[in-house]
Amino acid sequence: MKLSVGSWAFSFGPYAAAPIPFPAVVERLAAAGYEGVDICGFPPHVSLDRYPTRQSRAELVRLMDDHNIRVAGYSSDFSDVNPVMQENETAYLDLMKRTVQMCSDLGSPSLRVDTGVA
């Protein structure tokens, strides 16, 4: 069993006004003895826009490897595309494909899908 923390704990709630940058989160978790991170795919952390290429994602994986932190999961930002709306089907499927690629590039064993809609 691995002990991990969701990086959103450092970008929402009390940190919303001044989020802790993801590299600093990785450093803190490693120093505190955690073994993994459940990655927040919402800005300002590991979003598709912030890490758009395999190369940028490989650099992120190196950062985590350097700190012996593994990816426990990835939670993507689906808030811009309501999958219930028929007109969003193509955009939602495109977003899902890009998100699955992000998970693959990061070595994430899971994807959290929370659309934020009823």
Side-chain angles (χ1 to χ4, degrees), residues 42-114:
F42 292 74
H45 281 188
V46 186
S47 66
L48 292 167
D49 291 336
R50 188 168 182 112
Y51 294 92
T53 66
R54 284 189 171 152
Q55 180 180 352
S56 64
R57 296 167 190 172
E59 292 170 12
L60 190 61
V61 169
R62 273 193 295 283
L63 167 75
M64 291 183 287
D65 284 347
D66 289 348
H67 290 86
N68 294 314
I69 295 290
R70 300 294 170 257
V71 179
Y74 183 77
S75 178
S76 190
D77 182 1
F78 291 102
S79 60
D80 286 342
V81 183
N82 182 340
V84 176
M85 306 299 292
Q86 184 67 31
E87 62 269 18
N88 289 340
E89 180 178 357
T90 300
Y92 180 78
L93 291 174
D94 176 62
L95 177 57
M96 181 58 77
K97 288 176 188 174
R98 293 179 19 210
T99 300
V100 168
Q101 186 62 55
M102 170 74 90
C103 288
S104 176
D105 293 345
L106 296 177
S108 177
S110 65
L111 166 62
R112 177 180 171 163
V113 178
D114 185 353

Side-chain angles (χ1 to χ4, degrees), residues 3-62:
L3 187 59
S4 64
V5 168
S7 70
W8 49 82
F10 301 95
S11 62
F12 294 122
Y15 293 100
I20 305 296
F22 187 76
V25 170
V26 169
E27 291 173 11
R28 275 190 187 187
L29 295 181
Y34 287 93
E35 301 164 298
V37 61
D38 206 0
I39 297 176
C40 176
F42 292 74
H45 281 188
V46 186
S47 66
L48 292 167
D49 291 336
R50 188 168 182 112
Y51 294 92
T53 66
R54 284 189 171 152
Q55 180 180 352
S56 64
R57 296 167 190 172
E59 292 170 12
L60 190 61
V61 169
R62 273 193 295 283

